[in-house]
Amino acid sequence: MARLKVAVLISGRGSNLAALIDACATPEFPAEIALVLSNRADAAGLAHATRAAIPTCVIAHRDFASRAAFDAALDGALARAGIELVCLAGFMRLLGDAFVTRWRDRLVNIHPSLLPAFPGLDTHARALAAGVRVAGCTVHFVRPTMDEGPIIVQAAVPVLPDDDTDRLAARVLAVEHRAYPLALRLIAEGRVRVEDERVAIAGAAAGATALLNPSGIAASRASLTAAEPQLFVTDITASCDFFTGKLGFGVAFRYGDPPFYAQVHRDGARLNLRHVDTPVVDHARARQEDLLSAAIPVDDVARLFQEFQAAGVPFHQPLRTEPWGARTFIVADPDGNLLLFAGAA
Ligand code: GRF
């Protein structure tokens, strides 16, 4: 099977690029990333491409006297690499009409809102200010007007009462990482057609296919989107250091001097740390019988496992697929509390 040759254009962090690289690493995925292009030499995301042995190219907009000359340089690099589809992923330069027209229906973008709501910058702050109950992201074909064009895939997430822009952005970003690979797959499978500036998707249940609708949205009953387990720890400071240093959590608060209560959080997961003088769990038995202290649902469990591996996290159980289909791994904290991370296969 010939795989669709894709270029990804970035300007910064490149987490969407990383999600696309992961998707393309699956042998049966119908697209391959043949080039990663950035207008900034210091874009952190370039490292994802280098790690995956994907050719990179930096075309600095400052080196060009006009937008047209910059666009022409981009176009030349894309043509030389034989690119068939261009994915903008946090690419912070406006492309000129001529470029957009030349790549019409072969140029896609991801935007962190449910377009046509909140195009442009400061998306999450404006969504919160408007008091919307639902946020999300959109993958769309690019047209000359910014953040406008036929919608391919959208993913929705709830806006929660105590959201700030960081929390909302993190929740939306997590679904961006599913929506972009889905859109790329649909395009690469030849299922996406633009008709009267609307996208039609061929195949069964196409409408549902192009809408990622995580639990909590449009549910017929209330759904629990997060849990706040209590962990008993003998040293609040050491425990906070472990969660922040190894697991990428932040400290929400620490109380007492010396501290006897704290809360650490990452995205929707909040863990309450309660000081105890002596361990309350029989750790030998906990390990022997997999007695869990917390179960934390994750949208991309394999990626989290890789992140933790890179951080040198001690695993009680490495990543595995359970007989019922979920993928799980278990981390032991410094007090021997077993934390299960679980996601869809
Ligand atoms: C994403 O939120 C994307 O929707 C927007 O820019 C951000 C890029 O993030 N267009 P990353 O560089 O992919 O991490």
Side-chain angles (χ1 to χ4, degrees), residues 12-17 89-90 109-112 173 176:
R13 174 180 57 182
S15 68
N16 278 290
L17 164 66
N109 179 45
I110 187 159
H111 181 74
L173 193 64
E176 289 185 42

Side-chain angles (χ1 to χ4, degrees), residues 10-19 45 48 88-92 109-113 123-124 136-138 147 169 172-173 176-177 180:
I10 63 169
S11 298
R13 174 180 57 182
S15 68
N16 278 290
L17 164 66
H48 295 302
L88 306 180
F91 185 65
M92 300 304 282
N109 179 45
I110 187 159
H111 181 74
S113 77
T123 316
H124 302 299
C137 70
T138 305
D147 298 329
V172 171
L173 193 64
E176 289 185 42
H177 298 160
Y180 220 163

Side-chain angles (χ1 to χ4, degrees), residues 205-218:
T209 306
L211 171 64
L212 295 175
N213 196 197
S215 58
I217 304 291

Side-chain angles (χ1 to χ4, degrees), residues 229-230 236 253-256 258-263 272-275:
Q230 180 137 234
I236 292 280
F253 62 82
R254 213 185 291 235
Y255 194 75
F260 59 85
Y261 202 69
Q263 188 185 67
N272 298 304
L273 309 178
R274 159 83 152 77
H275 174 262

Side-chain angles (χ1 to χ4, degrees), residues 105-118:
D105 298 344
R106 296 180 300 143
L107 174 61
V108 296
N109 179 45
I110 187 159
H111 181 74
S113 77
L114 293 172
L115 291 172
F118 312 117

